[in-house]
Amino acid sequence: MSDDLTRLANGVLWPGFFGTEAPAWLLEELRDGLAGVVYFGQNIGDGLPALSASILAANPDALIGVDEEGGSVTRLESAEGSTIPGAAQLGLLDDLIATERTGAELARRVAAVGANVVLGPVADVNTDPRNPVIGVRAFGDDTELVTRHAIAAIDGIQDGGVAACVKHFPGHGDTHMDSHHALPEISLDIEEYERVHLEPFRAAIEAGVDSVMTAHIVVPAWGEAPATLNPRVLGMLRDWGFEGVIITDALDMAAIRETVGIGGGAALALAAGADLLCIGNPTNPGDAALPDQDLRDFLAARDGIVEALRDGSLTRERVEQAAARVAALAAKLRATASDAIPTADDFDAASIVRRMISVTGDEPDTASSLTVVDARRRSTLAVDSAASYVAGSLAGDDRRVRLDVASTEVAEQDRILDEMTAAAGTTVILIDRPDTDAAQRALVERAAVRDPRAVVVNVGLPTRTPLPLPTVEVAAASRVGAQVARERLLGRTG
């Protein structure tokens, strides 16, 4: 049995872990008051409902979160790709009923595996097209559009009996750096920042969102500390009347791990006003991750809290307040957990995606088969951008090849283009950064010279500067998006 301070710290910690079964250390900590767990791709398997049951048996009040956004970000379907529309697709369609029903479907799927918190929707306004970590995860680059769709998604999720977590406060949309690898600084005029980026979060709070996730970004006008560790920034949420749970983005991301460290970050985040500390994905260190990285990260965070409580730099009252908010959310969710999990209704993700897909340029000729050149960027820790299921779903049983334009010499790229163009079927160049990746655009331009009948499928932000080939705008690196693009090119209606 732990001491009093250790148990108190457990009540505000939310770790990830390795494996498809709960490790012994995790079950022990859950029995000793651990707030819950976060699921990532490495936890997903056929036994996920049983895994959730084992966690809830150890702590019936456990919060079980899933980073499930639909579109380009999925954990529940990490092996084969999401079959739920993504935020950018919903924003382009701009049908609030479709967005609310998508939120309800996310809630249904999360509840079906025994979890109770959806880490979404994204309320960032993606004003920087170079943004490597948000992009199509956002509903768009317009504040009003993002606001109304965030609220619709929250309504759908929370009407489904699970908590929504709007993210990434105070807004991660105006950066071209990834906080998984660095600490972004946003030097936007503060009046513009407040007007453009804060409004979706303020509206989400007014709509009754259960939780808000912080961003590891620095806004110099509000101080040198990242938002996650900044009492001035987190205090805005309380000033707006928010009494729900403030959840940190993962403290093992480089923006925290490589600056103040996980332990220091945990104590500072609590002192700043955060309530639930996501220790996140133990694979965040990449190749440096150790076999017991999950336990190491958890202990680093807890030890940091306990040490701060003992030396007085963190008050017991603050941690008790945070734990009480976490417990209140758990009690609310537990009160509805006995309700029957809704069965899938007539929700049709493909029909939503079909309605938003568009073609920039001339309508391409109907293809008999597709030869796919997958030239998308490399995957990031947040988004599996280069996942093979996208190209696989687009190509079907037809031929496909992976071409990393960032590391492949132009002569070799041209050889691959010539080889694919000579093959039967319509050549399809699969890209995701047409306006910000010069190498992708150059590849398309060379492909157009070789084969004017070739087609581009863009799963990133819609192109602003037209390409020399017809471009199917999908706006999500997902299985359902690729399937709908394929049927469009083959002249099928689905």
Side-chain angles (χ1 to χ4, degrees):
M1 188 70 174
S2 68
D3 63 31
D4 182 48
L5 293 183
T6 299
R7 184 175 177 83
L8 178 60
N10 270 359
V12 297
L13 290 173
W14 216 28
F17 61 96
F18 288 132
T20 56
E21 296 182 358
W25 70 263
L26 182 64
L27 294 176
E28 180 180 350
E29 300 299 343
L30 285 162
R31 287 188 286 268
D32 202 22
L34 182 64
V37 302
V38 184
Y39 287 156
F40 290 93
Q42 73 264 8
N43 306 124
I44 308 305
D46 294 337
L48 193 55
L51 172 59
S52 298
S54 70
I55 289 167
L56 292 170
N59 180 358
D61 289 319
L63 295 178
I64 303 177
V66 187
D67 198 8
E68 191 71 16
E69 299 173 11
S72 299
V73 175
T74 178
R75 307 302 179 216
L76 297 179
E77 299 183 287
S78 58
E80 298 181 345
S82 179
T83 55
I84 291 182
Q89 293 175 323
L90 294 167
L92 288 165
L93 181 60
D94 200 10
D95 178 343
L96 294 179
I97 293 175
T99 298
E100 184 172 356
R101 295 189 68 197
T102 298
E105 178 64 10
L106 282 168
R108 187 194 68 80
R109 295 188 185 190
V110 165
V113 300
N116 51 21
V117 181
V118 173
L119 291 178
V122 169
D124 302 312
V125 183
N126 195 78
T127 51
D128 190 333
R130 300 169 299 171
N131 199 319
V133 69
I134 304 299
V136 294
R137 298 171 64 195
F139 290 108
D141 59 7
D142 176 80
T143 300
E144 292 184 0
L145 180 141
V146 171
T147 297
R148 62 178 177 264
H149 282 277
I151 292 172
I154 291 165
D155 288 344
I157 292 168
Q158 294 190 174
D159 286 349
V162 304
C165 178
V166 68
K167 60 189 185 184
H168 307 80
F169 182 78
H172 209 312
D174 196 82
T175 178
H176 59 276
M177 294 178 65
D178 184 347
S179 53
H180 290 82
H181 302 290
L183 182 57
E185 181 176 301
I186 298 180
S187 299
L188 194 67
D189 176 80
I190 197 61
E191 291 185 2
E192 181 180 356
Y193 193 97
E194 291 177 351
R195 174 176 51 81
V196 174
H197 297 279
L198 292 186
E199 181 55 32
F201 296 95
R202 186 183 291 109
I205 288 169
E206 292 176 355
V209 71
D210 284 324
S211 61
V212 177
M213 177 170 281
T214 67
H216 303 327
I217 58 171
V218 173
V219 181
W222 293 330
E224 297 180 356
T228 299
L229 313 181
N230 191 325
R232 180 175 178 182
V233 175
L234 300 191
M236 293 179 191
L237 296 169
R238 302 305 180 198
D239 291 342
W240 295 343
F242 181 59
E243 291 299 328
V245 177
I246 298 176
I247 303 175
T248 69
D249 206 345
L251 296 179
D252 47 308
M253 291 162 59
I256 303 297
R257 177 191 289 273
E258 296 180 8
T259 54
V260 297
I262 294 176
L268 289 169
L270 283 166
D275 303 308
L276 185 59
L277 311 183
C278 179
I279 307 163
N281 190 341
T283 62
N284 269 341
D287 293 339
L290 298 170
D292 62 345
Q293 193 70 52
D294 48 358
L295 178 57
R296 287 172 179 260
D297 289 349
F298 166 72
L299 292 176
R302 191 175 68 186
D303 290 348
I305 297 169
V306 171
E307 181 179 350
L309 285 167
R310 287 177 174 154
D311 68 22
S313 58
L314 177 63
T315 68
R316 183 185 184 101
E317 179 183 20
R318 168 78 271 272
V319 184
E320 288 175 340
Q321 178 190 56
R325 288 198 178 106
V326 174
L329 177 57
K332 173 186 173 181
L333 296 174
R334 190 177 184 188
T336 60
S338 59
D339 295 342
I341 296 172
T343 57
D345 58 10
D346 58 349
F347 180 78
D348 187 346
S351 69
I352 294 174
V353 175
R354 287 187 198 105
R355 289 167 56 203
M356 62 69 48
I357 275 187
S358 63
V359 174
T360 301
D362 297 332
E363 187 71 28
D365 295 334
T366 299
S368 58
S369 61
L370 306 179
T371 303
V372 177
V373 179
D374 182 2
R376 292 171 298 150
R377 60 181 167 172
R378 296 173 180 172
S379 298
T380 69
L381 286 168
V383 184
D384 196 1
S385 308
S388 61
Y389 52 67
V390 178
S393 297
L394 181 61
D397 294 330
D398 300 330
R399 190 175 179 187
R400 62 185 167 103
V401 63
R402 172 76 176 141
L403 173 55
D404 185 347
V405 293
S407 61
T408 305
E409 295 291 337
V410 170
E412 176 61 12
Q413 294 181 33
D414 288 345
R415 185 195 68 76
I416 291 172
L417 284 175
D418 289 338
E419 179 182 323
M420 298 299 274
T421 299
T426 297
T427 300
V428 178
I429 312 297
L430 176 61
I431 61 172
D432 59 1
R433 296 180 71 81
D435 291 319
T436 60
D437 189 324
Q440 284 189 5
R441 182 170 284 271
L443 179 73
V444 171
E445 291 171 349
R446 296 199 307 279
V449 172
R450 286 167 164 75
D451 183 4
R453 298 180 302 105
V455 179
V456 172
V457 170
N458 174 28
V459 296
L461 295 172
T463 182
R464 299 183 178 188
T465 303
L467 293 163
L469 290 172
T471 303
V472 180
E473 301 286 4
V474 179
S478 65
R479 178 168 32 132
V480 66
Q483 289 170 339
V484 172
R486 175 177 173 81
E487 71 179 29
R488 175 76 175 256
L489 292 172
L490 295 177
R492 302 169 184 169
T493 58

